Amino acid sequence: MFITIEGIDGSGKTTLVNSLRKIFNNIHFTREPTDKFQLANLKTLSTPSNSFYNFFLFTYDRLEHQEEINGYKNVICDRYLASSIAYEGPMIEGLFGDRKETVLWMMEVSKMLKLPDMIIYLDANLDVALERIRNSRKNLNFRGKQLSILEEREGLKAIQDYYEYFLGNMKMFTQKQIKIEKIDANSSMEDVLYKAENIINKTIEK
Ligand SMILES: Nc1ncnc2c1ncn2[C@@H]1O[C@H](COP(=O)(O)OP(=O)(O)OP(=O)(O)O)[C@@H](O)[C@H]1O
Ligand SMILES: Cc1cn([C@H]2C[C@H](O)[C@@H](COP(=O)(O)O)O2)c(=O)[nH]c1=O
C-alpha cells in the first residue's frame, strides 16, 4: 500500500508522521521533497514561470524517488504529487487560464509516476495553520528558502482551494481508484493520531 499524507503548511503532517513512525514498524516512511532535492534551485512561488520551473524540480525529485517507493510493501510519504498540484497549480494556472486544464496537464506530466492507493488529507483551518506556523517560529522558509506565496493568508488559501479541488474531483484526473481520507486537523494531535492510526490499520497489507 502506498499512502501519502497531505495538507497545507502547519496542518500537522510532520507531527503526525513522527508519531506514526513510533507505532508502525512494518511501514517504510519517506517524504518529499527528498533529502536529495536541490534546494538552491528553488524559485519563490511568485510568478507562473517560477512555479512552472519548481514543478519540474519537484517532479524530477519525485521521479528519482520512485525506486525507494516501489521497494517496500507499505509506504507512507509525507507530501507527494498532490503537494505539487496544490502549491504550484495556482500560479501555473496563469499559463493555462483554466484550473481543470492546469491539473490535467500536471497529471499528464506526472504520468510515469506511481500514484498513491490512499491520500490522508489533514484538513486545517487557515488561521489555525498560520497560528501554528507562527508559534513554531517557522518563518515560512522552505528549509532556508523563502516561499513568498506562504507569507500571507491568501497564498495559503489558494493552496488549500487547489487541494480541495483536486481531492474532490480525483476521478476527472486519474482512472486509478485513490481512497481519500480527510481528518479534521484542527483537533488535538492525539485525536489526529488516533484517527490516522485507525485508518492505516484498516489499509496496510499485513
Ligand atoms: N493537532 C495539533 N494541535 C496543535 N498544534 C499542532 C498540531 N499539529 C501540529 N501542531 C504544531 O504546529 C506546528 C506545525 O506542525 P507540523 O510541522 O507538523 O506541520 P506541517 O503540516 O508538517 O507543516 P509544514 O508542511 O510546513 O512542514 C508545530 O509546532 C506543531 O507542534
Ligand atoms: C512536495 C512539494 C512540496 N512543496 C512545498 C510545500 C512546502 O512549503 C515545502 C515543503 O516543506 P515541508 O515543511 O518540508 O513540508 O515545499 C511544493 O511546493 N511542491 C511539492 O511538490
Side-chain angles (χ1 to χ4, degrees):
M1 290 303 290
F2 178 32
I3 300 170
T4 63
I5 311 286
E6 294 283 359
I8 60 174
D9 286 54
S11 56
K13 298 179 302 307
T14 306
T15 301
L16 172 62
V17 167
N18 289 341
S19 300
L20 291 172
R21 282 174 181 274
K22 297 170 189 159
I23 298 168
F24 292 99
N25 58 18
N26 58 341
I27 294 177
H28 177 74
F29 288 86
T30 184
R31 72 174 186 178
E32 288 194 354
T34 70
D35 293 339
K36 294 178 189 161
F37 187 79
Q38 295 302 315
L39 278 178
N41 299 333
L42 197 66
K43 296 179 186 288
T44 56
L45 302 179
S46 51
T47 65
S49 56
N50 280 8
S51 288
F52 179 91
Y53 181 91
N54 287 350
F55 173 55
F56 283 98
L57 280 189
F58 285 113
T59 302
Y60 174 70
D61 184 53
R62 189 159 299 129
L63 181 62
E64 293 286 281
H65 199 194
Q66 297 300 292
E67 187 178 348
E68 178 182 352
I69 289 168
N70 288 312
Y72 299 87
K73 188 161 69 168
N74 293 303
V75 176
I76 287 182
C77 189
D78 178 355
R79 288 196 182 285
Y80 192 67
L81 174 54
S83 282
S84 285
I85 303 289
Y87 281 78
E88 279 69 61
M91 283 291 180
I92 291 177
E93 185 180 324
L95 303 173
F96 289 89
D98 177 272
R99 186 160 60 171
K100 182 177 176 183
E101 283 308 306
T102 302
V103 179
L104 283 170
W105 175 78
M106 295 176 85
M107 290 299 282
E108 182 66 20
V109 171
S110 307
K111 213 168 177 177
M112 78 299 284
L113 305 174
K114 183 170 187 173
L115 291 177
D117 300 295
M118 176 188 287
I119 298 173
I120 295 177
Y121 178 65
L122 299 190
D123 188 10
N125 170 284
L126 279 178
D127 295 310
V128 169
L130 282 166
E131 188 61 23
R132 287 178 185 169
I133 293 167
R134 290 190 190 106
N135 290 345
S136 67
R137 291 179 298 284
K138 187 186 280 189
N139 57 6
L140 296 184
N141 271 356
F142 163 54
R143 297 179 207 154
K145 188 93 181 180
Q146 188 71 34
L147 291 178
S148 59
I149 196 173
L150 299 179
E151 278 176 327
E152 71 287 332
R153 191 178 186 282
E154 64 188 286
L156 215 49
K157 173 90 172 63
I159 293 164
Q160 187 176 65
D161 289 347
Y162 250 75
Y163 259 131
E164 290 174 0
Y165 172 70
F166 180 56
L167 300 177
N169 297 282
M170 192 61 74
K171 289 187 170 56
M172 275 196 319
F173 303 115
T174 177
Q175 290 178 353
K176 177 167 182 176
Q177 292 294 317
I178 300 177
K179 191 156 176 45
I180 311 293
E181 290 284 357
K182 266 192 182 185
I183 295 178
D184 174 5
N186 306 307
S187 54
S188 70
M189 295 180 201
E190 294 74 17
D191 186 47
V192 171
L193 175 59
Y194 174 78
K195 288 172 182 166
E197 187 180 350
N198 283 339
I199 289 165
I200 293 165
N201 268 324
K202 288 180 202 150
T203 305
I204 55 171
E205 295 171 50
K206 305 299 181 205

